[in-house]
Amino acid sequence: MSRVSVDGEEVTFEGEVPDDPSRIYELLMGALSEQSRVVVKFFVDGKDTLLDDGFPSRYEKIEAESVTHDSLTLRVVIDSMNKVSETESQFDAYVANILSVSWSEVFKRMDELISKIQPFAELIDSLAPYVDAYHPPWGEKLKEVSEKQNESLGHILNAFEQGNPAKLSDELSVCFLPVFKRARKLFSDDIIPYLKKKVDAE
């Protein structure tokens, strides 16, 4: 007989238990979302299908693990913040040298730095659904930072297209870096403490 459990608790279905693991996954995600939780592991007969290429057609045993939206968001935030821990000082050094090195070197190094800041920009964008769903006290500040960061990134790309190092230097030092530092401060002072408090209260 097929069995389904979530966080060690066996799941009881109304009517017949679906044969298709993908259907089980959909049902669990729907039910858990009402509890502000999300599936993070979904083992079908011992294999975590969220890490593999997809769901098998049938199963004997499904074991799912879930976490709260707060807990998952905190994990993602801390992981992303760790990845950009040294990026701020690298940007500072880059801006200091931008007008004294060749344009080819400016272009080469900027590409490297943008690839490092991309996870942080994506993190800010990925928090939009959380902000819309839960309306945390820092939500409006994050939206404002996101708008300013996206606007500044557009100006940076424009400076590159024009081959204008002076404009690039101004945009980075006057606009982008202050927004980037403000965003990091928002995460360290408001967002992470807020999420930790929510997770600790679970």
Side-chain angles (χ1 to χ4, degrees):
M1 181 179 175
S2 299
R3 293 179 58 235
V4 179
S5 65
V6 177
D7 301 325
E9 298 283 334
E10 190 156 351
V11 177
T12 303
F13 293 87
E14 294 181 5
E16 293 186 15
V17 181
D19 293 329
D20 185 354
S22 64
R23 179 61 181 150
I24 296 284
Y25 179 76
E26 290 173 7
L27 291 171
L28 291 181
M29 286 291 284
L32 288 168
S33 68
E34 295 176 4
Q35 304 170 31
S36 298
R37 301 185 72 85
V38 62
V39 174
V40 290
K41 293 183 180 180
F42 193 76
F43 291 93
V44 179
D45 297 329
K47 291 185 178 180
D48 190 350
T49 55
L50 300 184
L51 299 177
D52 294 336
D53 293 332
F55 298 103
S57 58
R58 301 183 71 81
Y59 70 95
E60 290 184 10
K61 184 179 182 182
I62 289 176
E63 298 169 289
E65 294 181 20
S66 72
V67 297
T68 63
H69 291 165
D70 294 321
S71 181
L72 181 61
T73 303
L74 179 61
R75 285 188 205 175
V76 171
V77 166
I78 290 176
D79 183 57
S80 295
M81 292 294 284
N82 288 338
K83 287 178 181 176
V84 298
S85 60
E86 298 178 2
T87 304
E88 186 174 316
S89 61
Q90 291 171 335
F91 265 114
D92 283 329
Y94 180 80
V95 171
N97 295 323
I98 203 168
L99 297 177
S100 60
V101 299
S102 67
W103 179 248
S104 61
E105 184 65 20
V106 169
F107 189 85
K108 175 184 171 186
R109 295 225 30 235
M110 189 64 198
D111 193 46
E112 293 172 2
L113 290 173
I114 286 294
S115 70
K116 291 180 180 178
I117 196 59
Q118 188 174 356
F120 190 65
E122 290 175 350
L123 168 66
I124 291 176
D125 290 340
S126 72
L127 283 179
Y130 182 93
V131 169
D132 291 339
Y134 298 106
H135 309 290
W138 41 263
E140 289 304 315
K141 291 181 182 178
L142 186 71
K143 287 181 180 179
E144 184 181 339
V145 163
S146 177
E147 289 171 4
K148 289 185 179 297
Q149 180 174 265
N150 289 336
E151 181 181 340
S152 184
L153 286 172
H155 291 159
I156 289 169
L157 293 176
N158 186 253
F160 268 112
E161 290 170 359
Q162 294 177 6
N164 189 334
K167 182 177 179 180
L168 179 62
S169 177
D170 284 346
E171 183 60 37
L172 282 169
S173 59
V174 176
C175 297
F176 184 79
L177 265 174
V179 170
F180 177 68
K181 291 175 180 180
R182 182 179 163 198
R184 286 199 64 193
K185 183 171 171 44
L186 179 63
F187 274 95
S188 61
D189 292 355
D190 295 333
I191 297 176
I192 291 176
Y194 172 88
L195 291 170
K196 281 183 175 179
K197 186 176 180 179
K198 296 277 283 184
V199 170
D200 289 344
E202 291 174 3

